[in-house]
Amino acid sequence: MTEESHGGDRAVDSVLAALADPTRRLLLDLLAARGEATATTLAERLPVSRQAVVKHLAVLDAAGLVSGGRVGREVRYTVRPEALDATARWMASLAADWDLRLATIKRIAEAAERDEG
């Protein structure tokens, strides 16, 4: 797959790399369900330390999947769906390309079968 296949958009690469980790996917799920949460609150729901949660949140933030905003002494994180939307669009485009390729192969195979018969 070339960079041109998804418009040279490195954001998709960052999202896919961030989502490759099951803990980060779980964090994203928890945030989506809660709407907003602190690293401490999220760590209470996971079998990892608060420090590990903060590191995972930093990766998700760098990929554009979450954002953190300071409220008093706390940093509250929320999901940013835009990066997921862009990745979903790229995946849908990739799937459509494969559907076209497979339809062409099917058509060629069916034609060859008719010619033999």
Side-chain angles (χ1 to χ4, degrees):
M1 173 175 20
T2 64
E3 277 192 53
E4 293 80 29
S5 65
H6 58 87
D9 190 0
R10 295 195 193 294
V12 170
D13 297 338
S14 295
V15 167
L16 293 175
L19 294 178
D21 184 278
T23 301
R24 288 193 284 269
R25 290 193 306 272
L26 183 54
L27 277 170
L28 202 58
D29 287 343
L30 289 171
L31 275 175
R34 290 177 157 272
E36 179 180 85
T38 65
T40 302
T41 303
L42 293 166
E44 292 169 356
R45 306 280 311 269
L46 297 169
V48 297
S49 68
R50 182 189 175 285
Q51 291 80 5
V53 168
V54 169
K55 288 181 181 180
H56 283 299
L57 287 168
V59 173
L60 292 170
D61 188 14
L65 293 167
V66 302
S67 62
R70 189 164 286 283
V71 178
R73 294 174 51 196
E74 298 179 327
V75 177
R76 295 188 185 164
Y77 293 89
T78 57
V79 173
R80 295 180 59 207
E82 299 84 14
L84 281 174
D85 292 343
T87 302
R89 282 192 304 277
W90 172 77
M91 292 175 80
S93 173
L94 182 64
D97 288 348
W98 274 104
D99 287 345
L100 287 172
R101 289 176 185 161
L102 292 173
T104 301
I105 291 169
K106 180 181 178 189
R107 215 173 25 255
I108 291 168
E110 288 172 346
E113 189 175 280
R114 277 193 309 273
D115 291 346
E116 285 178 5

